[in-house]
């Protein structure tokens, strides 16, 4: 875990003053680091029945595709507003630094399908909570949510656990 943590680059004051941006591109670009990240994100769900992984744009796509392959299930993209070509449903959410909308294809999930949500980082949990709502509204059942990084002081993982969602992160950083 410490080895993986060392591969995450921290960029102070990006994208705005006061934010410590945890840049996982350095971890994903490291062959052993990427392999270990995917193995560790997959591990808690190996024995659980998962029908599909839902990855949140954009870093959740890189991770989610690889995790879905390991679990032998399909991949569902959750994208920023206006990017998906078919009929969508959307949810507004607050970011650590702004407001946005994410969308899912209305027919992406069949009723009762068991879904694992994947993103690179959980901060306030606004994005992940919006993803949980989208999956639930399309008839899916959220089995868990997995991230590389948790920022526990921002309370996102706690928020998901309070919603009854099993939540895993490979590492945590203090502060914002
Ligand atoms: P939140 O909705 O507050 O949990 O924010 C999580 C989303 O915003 C994830 O998709 C992250 O990629 C991005 N994000 C928020 N804060 C940071 C940060 N400090 N460093 C890198 N990415 C962040």
């Amino acid at each position: 875990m410490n080895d993986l943590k060392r591969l995450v680059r921290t960029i102070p004051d990006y994208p705005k003053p006061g934010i410590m941006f945890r840049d996982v591109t350095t971890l994903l670009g490291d062959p052993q680091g990427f392999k270990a990240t995917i193995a560790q994100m997959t591990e808690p769900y190996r024995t659980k029945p998962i029908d599909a992984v839902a990855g949140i744009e954009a870093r959740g796509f890189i991770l989610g595709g690889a995790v879905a392959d390991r679990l032998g299930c399909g991949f569902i993209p959750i994208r920023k507003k206006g990017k998906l070509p078919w009929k969508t449903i959307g949810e507004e959410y607050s970011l650590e630094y702004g407001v946005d909308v994410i969308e899912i294809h209305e027919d992406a999930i069949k009723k009762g399908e068991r879904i694992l949500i994947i993103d690179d980082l959980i901060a306030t949990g606004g994005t992940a909570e919006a993803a949980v709502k989208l999956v639930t509204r399309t008839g899916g059942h959220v089995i868990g949510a997995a991230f590389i990084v948790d920022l526990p002081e921002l309370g996102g993982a706690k928020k998901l656990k309070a919603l009854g969602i099993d939540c895993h992160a490979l590492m945590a950083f203090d502060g914002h």
Side-chain angles (χ1 to χ4, degrees):
M1 191 257 234
N2 280 335
D3 287 348
L4 295 187
K5 197 169 175 178
R6 268 197 293 274
L7 288 169
V8 175
R9 170 168 55 193
T10 295
I11 306 169
D13 300 321
Y14 180 87
K16 65 177 201 185
I19 303 291
M20 296 289 274
F21 193 84
R22 307 300 178 176
D23 174 20
V24 299
T25 64
T26 39
L27 170 61
L28 303 181
D30 182 276
Q32 297 311 319
F34 185 45
K35 193 185 261 302
T37 297
I38 298 305
Q40 289 181 31
M41 289 185 94
T42 306
E43 189 51 39
Y45 303 100
R46 275 208 176 282
T47 56
K48 295 198 173 141
I50 308 277
D51 296 304
V53 169
I56 304 173
E57 185 174 1
R59 291 175 291 269
F61 288 2
I62 303 161
L63 301 162
V67 170
D69 178 62
R70 298 301 184 284
L71 292 176
C73 65
F75 177 81
I76 296 165
I78 293 181
R79 299 207 64 178
K80 304 275 161 60
K81 190 176 172 60
K83 299 279 190 181
L84 287 167
W86 183 239
K87 292 174 193 164
T88 59
I89 61 166
E91 275 288 337
E92 195 179 276
Y93 64 102
S94 303
L95 270 178
E96 191 185 352
Y97 38 81
V99 174
D100 221 332
V101 174
I102 50 173
E103 296 180 333
I104 192 168
H105 276 147
E106 63 172 22
D107 60 355
I109 295 172
K110 292 183 202 76
K111 200 170 163 47
E113 278 190 323
R114 295 154 299 194
I115 308 296
L116 171 63
I117 291 172
I118 299 269
D119 202 0
D120 67 325
L121 180 145
I122 182 158
T124 65
T127 314
E129 191 182 6
V132 168
K133 286 182 185 161
L134 286 180
V135 168
T136 307
R137 282 172 61 198
T138 45
H141 175 54
V142 179
I143 296 293
F147 308 86
I148 301 175
V149 177
D150 179 22
L151 306 182
E153 284 173 38
L154 291 167
K158 223 183 217 170
K159 191 190 274 181
L160 284 196
K161 282 174 188 158
L163 292 172
I165 311 268
D166 174 70
C167 187
H168 280 273
L170 307 189
M171 65 187 75
F173 284 93
D174 294 336
H176 288 218

